[in-house]
Amino acid sequence: MGIDKPDIRYVVHYDLPDSLENYVQEIGRAGRDQKASAAILLYQPGDERIHYFFNQLSREQRQSFELYLEHSEEVDVLFDEVQQKWLEIVNKTNEPEQWMNRLKLQEKEKEYRLKQMLRYIKEENCRRAAILHYFGEKLVEKPDSCCDLEGAVLPVQEEVQEMTVTKKAEWQEILLNLFKKNTEL
Ligand SMILES: [Zn+2]
């Protein structure tokens, strides 16, 4: 996404990111002007299920594709779009096995990254330090308002309240308009 505004104060996630890599990239959009800003991640247990579901799906996709490679003459399969692409690649490459192994490795990496994301959510000490640690860095200087685990409050709260009120008004308007249209139909 090409959001290039220096004065973004809040980045709110209401979907669980699939990795700390993506999460950090996304929250990095807040506070590019160096002023106080916050990243808010809304999570409830079970939010990870959607990621498990898609990981499982791609694993099954890969497994049935592998089955085809091993017993192509016996297996009657209908490829989906992704598998069709795999087939093109496999037909071109001299080392299909190596290529399949890479695919398997990618699955494992995906699972690992999700696990680390969940670990971050369940972090008990310091989220800032946890992120830095994940990327092989150390927290040298802890800011006063570090993270929620250390009592940080959201910056410029009056502004948030104002924002919420305007948002509500907008939503009410949108809803009203929707209902109007429906009754007209
Ligand atoms: Zn902290």
Side-chain angles (χ1 to χ4, degrees), residues 27-179:
I27 62 175
R29 296 188 182 113
R32 287 200 173 148
D33 56 4
Q34 305 297 313
K35 288 185 187 159
S37 49
I40 302 159
L41 171 55
L42 304 175
Y43 168 80
Q44 67 173 2
D47 282 354
E48 57 275 24
R49 271 185 298 222
I50 185 82
H51 294 299
Y52 288 146
F53 173 76
F54 282 114
N55 286 351
Q56 175 66 19
L57 208 66
S58 56
R59 194 178 311 121
E60 283 168 12
Q61 224 171 9
R62 193 254 310 152
Q63 282 166 343
S64 70
F65 185 73
E66 251 177 332
L67 202 68
Y68 166 81
L69 287 186
E70 285 159 21
H71 318 271
S72 56
E73 55 295 328
E74 299 153 39
V75 186
D76 195 17
V77 276
L78 203 61
F79 285 146
D80 60 29
E81 238 173 87
V82 179
Q83 289 167 323
Q84 198 65 48
K85 269 196 194 127
W86 289 347
L87 188 65
E88 282 166 30
I89 296 169
V90 162
N91 284 339
K92 270 185 223 158
T93 178
N94 297 325
E95 293 156 328
E97 250 173 64
Q98 239 176 343
W99 188 80
M100 285 311 293
N101 282 340
R102 219 166 52 213
L103 218 57
K104 272 186 245 180
L105 199 67
Q106 279 170 5
E107 268 169 35
K108 286 227 168 77
E109 278 168 3
K110 243 181 162 179
E111 278 164 28
Y112 172 79
R113 284 198 288 264
L114 179 61
K115 223 182 241 173
Q116 296 305 311
M117 186 70 220
L118 287 166
R119 210 170 139 179
Y120 167 76
I121 283 174
K122 287 168 190 153
E123 169 66 33
E124 287 175 350
N125 298 310
C126 173
R127 290 195 206 280
R128 190 180 294 266
I131 283 185
L132 286 169
H133 178 75
Y134 180 73
F135 292 102
E137 287 174 46
K138 250 190 168 170
L139 181 57
V140 183
E141 206 180 320
K142 197 171 274 200
D144 293 335
S145 189
C146 179
C147 65
D148 61 312
L149 295 171
E150 295 175 299
V153 285
L154 291 177
V156 278
Q157 290 210 324
E158 311 82 57
E159 207 180 284
V160 178
Q161 273 158 16
E162 265 173 45
M163 264 169 46
T164 322
V165 172
T166 2
K167 272 262 162 69
K168 247 186 215 158
E170 278 170 17
W171 272 108
Q172 280 165 347
E173 254 177 51
I174 293 167
L175 277 174
L176 274 173
N177 282 337
L178 273 175
F179 283 120

